[in-house]
Amino acid sequence: MRSNANNVPVHAPLFPDPFVPYQCKDYVSLFAVAEASEEEIKRILSYTPFEYIENKIVLSISDFSKTDKLSYMDCAIVVPVKYGDKYGGYYIYEYENNDAAIAAGRDLWGYPKKYAEIILKEQDGEIYGYAKKDGEVFLELKADTSKAIGKISEPKITPHFNIRTIPKTTGGIYFQEIIERDTSPDFVLHNKTFLHVDVQINGAFTQPLNQLGPITVLGGGVIKGDFYATEKNGWGKVLETIKHGEGSLTSY
């Protein structure tokens, strides 16, 4: 990466280039599985080529602060979807607290990342996290780590299916790429504990998460391990390129 590489891809990317491979030892994620509004999930998916499967969502706040190339925190809501004959997860909301991490996810793979203040803390038998924007907390997760529950049913949300959209300079969409990405084969799990997780969702004009409610939390837990984005699995794969209004240009 050039010393002045702090602005525009490709000649001066905001994020480390090449970004892959990278790793995060001692990754921690607090997650919850919930039933949400079927109507709202279907409405969101109506703007995509993905098929609705069920009204379960996975909410998470994850600590990537020990990532070797840049430090960041992540907050996400993912829904299970079908694309062709493939099943995976589509990020309907995602937030991070580092501009470089946001740019990498959006520019390279089409993750819908935006900025938010995010914390995740574990102390006194409790793990607690929140995401905050413009001074308002819009998602909170909290669990008592001493009160484990039995294993819960989790929707399949890997691989990730993203939509990288290239706009026209005059407005509207020029083309879209459907991108598949799956780092899960390289994840090294240290521990996964299922817990009762309290979830609070609030809405704002640019963060209408409340439209997913009312939600019913089915359970959740804490995942700890080592995250790896390797040369083999860390990059994304373009499954299809669609020119707006003209159908598919290329399928792989």
Side-chain angles (χ1 to χ4, degrees), residues 155-196:
K156 178 176 172 56
I157 57 170
T158 57
H160 302 157
F161 296 129
N162 299 325
I163 306 173
R164 182 166 63 178
T165 299
I166 308 301
K168 295 178 182 177
T169 57
T170 54
I173 298 172
Y174 179 45
F175 70 89
Q176 295 177 303
E177 292 176 326
I178 310 304
I179 297 175
E180 176 182 353
R181 185 169 184 254
D182 189 1
T183 59
S184 64
D186 299 309
F187 186 79
V188 178
L189 180 66
H190 294 171
N191 180 265
K192 183 173 185 177
T193 305
F194 291 98
L195 306 165
H196 288 293

Side-chain angles (χ1 to χ4, degrees), residues 25 88 110 112 127 190 205-206 208:
K25 297 291 187 70
I127 183 165
H190 294 171
F205 179 72
T206 57

